[in-house]
Amino acid sequence: MALSDFLTELDALLGEAPAAFGAAGDAAALEAARVQFVGAKSGRLKAVQKGLAAVDKADRPAAGKRFNEVKQAIESAHQAAVERLASASRPAAAARCADPTVPGDCRRLGRLHPITQTIEELKEIMGRLGFSVADGPEIEDQWYNFEALNIPADHPARNPLENFYLELGDGGRGTGDGNHGTAVELPSQHTQQYPAPRPHPPAPSFLLRSQTSTVQIRAMERMRPPVRIISCGRVYRPDTADATHFPMFHQMEGLLVDRGVTMADLKSTLRLFARSAFADDVHIRFRPSFFPFTEPSVEVDMSWADGWIEMGGAGMVDPNVLQAVGYDPEEYSGFAFGLGIERICARRHGIADIRELFKNDVRFLQQF
Ligand code: PHE
């Protein structure tokens, strides 16, 4: 056979086979075309290959080389058709890759809740003033929430209607002998240093803490003066929710105990804090008040923008509290304050209703 005849047959295949593969609309049609052109037994390529032996011997290397090229081209055309059909069976994916007019997927970044952001900033500001961060549990017993804080058994602050008492373990009812504190197992030092609670009607022993002042006691029990701590966290009171109240809210507690601490230290610390927190020259106003664990006690107002804002309570740590943790009130004095974090956050961001902070509505939250 002349070389030219052999090459003509190859060229014909090179023209037909890829076209047939390209025209195949489904896997069955493609398979039929494959068998027709490159089938191992009776495929047309095989038939052409048989003619190779008949080509003149001198031309055979050139014929063989061209045969291999054509065979490879046909095989890759087949592979391309396989891939085309496979991607066509994933139309959604194919469209997403291919259609540049479809809007992209918008990745939304999460962010910290405004209260968390405020807490982080408060810690930072107070850290610069030398205060470290202390923590305490949200479920407390009556020693930490009341007794060590000089809140006696008959004090209205312990009223079950003012607190979220919990029924735990023994049913939360204490021993029924009329003492709130008896169901709480106190380390022996407590009972030695603090007079036994006065008799009163049985009441549950554990509660969701109503104030972060509990952490004052926990911190003082753990360390000797000088103490300089803040504690930020949730507190719980059965208040009806409105624009400025919520049954759960956050407080920042501050406590400083050392030799010779005075009310002037309290005022200047709060003023420095307010200047940093509100990035403005803020005035501090103290109004006489009463808390069982501070003497004297004050309400703290801060002036900002158009008026005075009530921020919380403060005062000089009551000697009974120092005694309850084994500090000598003749040697040490201290101040404490408790500020509402929602209030600070709301003032800084112009939030009119603190309930917004707890609805988990991303349209609100993503503004911060
Ligand atoms: N614990 C008080 C409250 O929740 C605030 C306070 C803290 C007052 C520390 C004085 C000292 O209302």
Side-chain angles (χ1 to χ4, degrees):
M1 188 200 274
L3 175 63
S4 59
D5 292 342
F6 183 76
L7 295 183
T8 306
E9 282 184 44
L10 276 180
D11 284 345
L13 275 187
L14 191 55
E16 285 176 53
F21 298 153
D26 57 27
L30 181 60
E31 180 58 11
R34 187 192 68 77
V35 170
Q36 185 192 350
F37 288 100
V38 290
K41 284 188 197 134
S42 54
R44 285 176 54 191
L45 193 64
K46 197 82 194 169
V48 175
Q49 190 181 11
K50 281 181 188 148
L52 189 59
V55 173
D56 297 340
K57 198 166 184 190
D59 292 331
R60 222 174 278 158
K65 181 166 176 273
R66 179 64 186 152
F67 175 84
N68 283 333
E69 286 169 5
V70 170
K71 183 175 181 220
Q72 250 173 30
I74 290 175
E75 279 169 358
S76 48
H78 177 256
Q79 188 54 37
V82 169
E83 280 161 22
R84 172 177 57 80
L85 289 179
S87 69
S89 69
R90 298 191 303 264
R96 223 183 10 242
C97 295
D99 185 351
T101 65
V102 173
D105 287 339
C106 174
R107 308 238 165 203
R108 288 213 257 161
L109 276 187
R111 58 189 82 201
L112 295 176
H113 189 279
I115 290 291
T116 310
Q117 287 181 30
T118 306
I119 288 174
E120 291 307 312
E121 286 164 36
L122 299 185
K123 286 179 181 170
E124 156 95 31
I125 292 168
M126 295 307 292
R128 287 202 297 266
L129 294 177
F131 287 76
S132 54
V133 174
D135 260 321
E138 289 177 27
I139 294 180
E140 275 293 11
D141 62 32
Q142 307 219 22
W143 168 261
Y144 291 107
N145 203 85
F146 298 126
E147 272 153 43
L149 287 164
N150 198 33
I151 304 176
D154 53 2
H155 194 279
R158 292 174 73 149
N159 186 333
L161 295 176
E162 307 285 334
N163 295 283
F164 287 110
Y165 285 100
L166 301 172
E167 298 209 346
L168 297 176
D170 63 346
R173 305 247 155 246
T175 55
D177 66 359
N179 284 339
H180 277 299
T182 42
V184 180
E185 258 199 59
L186 303 174
S188 57
Q189 99 224 30
H190 291 165
T191 32
Q192 282 161 17
Q193 287 167 356
Y194 200 73
R198 269 172 283 162
H200 53 80
S205 297
F206 294 93
L207 73 163
L208 296 177
R209 68 179 177 189
S210 60
Q211 50 186 350
T212 44
S213 300
T214 54
V215 187
Q216 290 185 33
I217 305 301
R218 290 184 174 275
M220 288 191 285
E221 279 179 349
R222 277 198 309 268
M223 48 179 125
R224 309 306 305 166
V227 175
R228 210 185 261 220
I229 56 111
I230 58 157
S231 186
C232 298
R234 298 188 186 96
V235 299
Y236 303 84
R237 294 176 193 177
D239 290 335
T240 308
D242 63 23
T244 54
H245 296 85
F246 207 72
M248 182 282 303
F249 62 101
H250 296 74
Q251 287 186 325
M252 174 172 76
E253 191 81 10
L255 173 71
L256 186 147
V257 182
D258 204 347
R259 293 192 176 89
V261 180
T262 70
M263 201 87 171
D265 299 314
L266 168 62
K267 196 162 186 176
S268 55
T269 302
L270 285 174
R271 182 147 191 268
L272 274 173
F273 161 76
R275 280 181 78 151
S276 306
F278 297 101
D280 212 343
D281 196 10
V282 179
H283 293 275
I284 297 284
R285 182 169 78 177
F286 283 172
R287 279 178 294 117
S289 186
F290 174 80
F291 298 101
F293 35 92
T294 46
E295 180 58 37
S297 302
V298 292
E299 300 273 351
V300 184
D301 297 340
M302 293 181 187
S303 83
W304 194 58
D306 42 4
W308 293 98
I309 328 157
E310 243 187 76
M311 301 304 292
M316 301 306 292
V317 180
D318 193 288
N320 284 348
V321 174
L322 297 174
Q323 246 157 12
V325 295
Y327 288 5
D328 179 0
E330 297 298 327
E331 187 178 359
Y332 296 109
S333 57
F335 65 70
F337 58 84
L339 309 181
I341 293 179
E342 276 73 7
R343 217 158 254 202
I344 297 173
C345 178
R347 279 316 279 221
R348 298 176 81 197
H349 295 296
I351 297 167
D353 188 331
I354 66 162
R355 285 173 293 190
E356 294 296 340
L357 290 165
F358 305 116
K359 284 185 185 158
N360 273 344
D361 183 336
V362 274
R363 291 168 302 177
F364 173 80
L365 294 174
Q366 69 192 1
Q367 300 174 68
F368 304 97

